């Protein structure tokens, strides 16, 4: 319960207000203070600090990042609506797989601390519903690569959903981002263990990526073929 409240909920709040690696560093330090082993605290904080990344830093990523990436490709009069749609589709993809994220962490904690932790899952489901609703306050992705829009246009598929998938991918990569891993290890006094954390976080990152990618394909080619 402490890991979920601090690592996911508190971390999501900090990501929404600050971002840029701050949430994982703060959450990892607090978890160590509560008695979590340093390596586990850093790993858990990084896993949780993935989904919120798409909505972080008070809107800076989408308002400046995505906006600048598609400048000249989207008419200025349509830009606000386009950015809102990217945020909505990003939220939709995260809503499917991001809500399962704590379950990955529960499995990790079970391996590290013992089999009693899965008893938290019942309470976790309630927390998931609250958190998904809270995420509606943050509608901005973090990454800024713009060539996906042109590629999608060339292929004749939804530019909006492709850009949303890019935003989701950037958030997932936060689990194994070297900069954030080093920061989390530093605050818990575990320098030199970065490789172990990246290896440990690779599985949830891969599963999240595969799931989000599969959903994106279904949206583009089956369920949302008319989206710009």
């Amino acid at each position: 319960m402490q890991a979920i409240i601090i690592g996911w909920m508190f971390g999501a709040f900090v990501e929404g207000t600050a971002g840029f690696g701050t949430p994982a560093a703060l959450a990892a330090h607090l978890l160590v203070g509560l008695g979590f082993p340093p390596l586990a605290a850093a790993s858990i904080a990084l896993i949780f600090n993935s989904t919120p990344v798409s909505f972080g830093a008070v809107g800076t990523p989408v308002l400046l990042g995505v906006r600048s990436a598609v400048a000249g490709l989207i008419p200025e009069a349509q830009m606000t609506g386009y950015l809102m749609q990217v945020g909505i589709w990003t939220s939709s993809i995260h809503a499917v797989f991001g809500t399962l994220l704590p379950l990955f962490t529960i499995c990790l904690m079970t391996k590290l601390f013992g089999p009693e932790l899965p008893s938290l899952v019942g309470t976790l489901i309630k927390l998931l519903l609250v958190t998904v609703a809270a995420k509606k306050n943050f509608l901005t992705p973090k990454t800024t690569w713009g060539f996906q829009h042109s590629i999608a246009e060339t292929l004749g598929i939804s530019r909006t959903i492709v850009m949303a998938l890019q935003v989701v991918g950037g958030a997932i990569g936060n689990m194994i981002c070297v900069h954030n891993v080093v920061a989390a290890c530093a605050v818990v006094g575990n320098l030199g263990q970065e490789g172990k954390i990246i290896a440990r976080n690779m599985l949830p990152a891969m599963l999240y990526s595969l799931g989000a990618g599969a959903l994106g394909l279904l949206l583009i080619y089956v369920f949302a073929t008319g989206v710009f």
Side-chain angles (χ1 to χ4, degrees), residues 11 49 143 146 155 215:
N49 186 221
T143 48
L155 295 175
L215 177 59

Side-chain angles (χ1 to χ4, degrees), residues 87-215:
I88 290 172
W89 284 106
T90 300
S91 300
S92 300
I93 296 169
H94 274 312
V96 176
F97 295 98
T99 51
L100 299 176
L101 184 60
L103 298 179
F104 289 129
T105 309
I106 288 295
C107 293
L108 176 63
M109 293 171 66
T110 300
K111 181 177 180 180
L112 293 173
F113 303 128
E116 68 278 2
L117 284 167
S119 63
L120 293 175
V121 172
T123 303
L124 173 61
I125 293 173
K126 298 177 182 178
L127 294 176
L128 292 178
L129 297 176
V130 174
T131 305
V132 171
K135 284 195 286 188
K136 297 301 182 181
N137 294 323
F138 309 101
L139 292 175
T140 55
K142 186 173 184 177
T143 48
T144 59
W145 297 355
F147 64 88
Q148 287 88 346
H149 186 280
S150 297
I151 292 174
E153 188 173 22
T154 300
L155 295 175
I157 60 178
S158 172
R159 280 81 94 191
T160 305
I161 296 177
V162 167
M163 287 299 292
L165 285 168
Q166 162 58 27
V167 173
V168 172
I172 296 169
N174 214 52
M175 295 186 198
I176 54 175
C177 172
V178 174
H179 168 80
N180 289 340
V181 172
V182 171
C185 285
V187 299
V188 300
N190 240 8
L191 287 175
Q193 301 297 313
E194 293 85 357
K196 289 183 179 179
I197 291 177
I198 291 174
R200 180 172 290 168
N201 290 3
M202 192 65 73
L203 178 59
M206 290 177 63
L207 292 175
Y208 203 148
S209 299
L210 289 171
L215 177 59

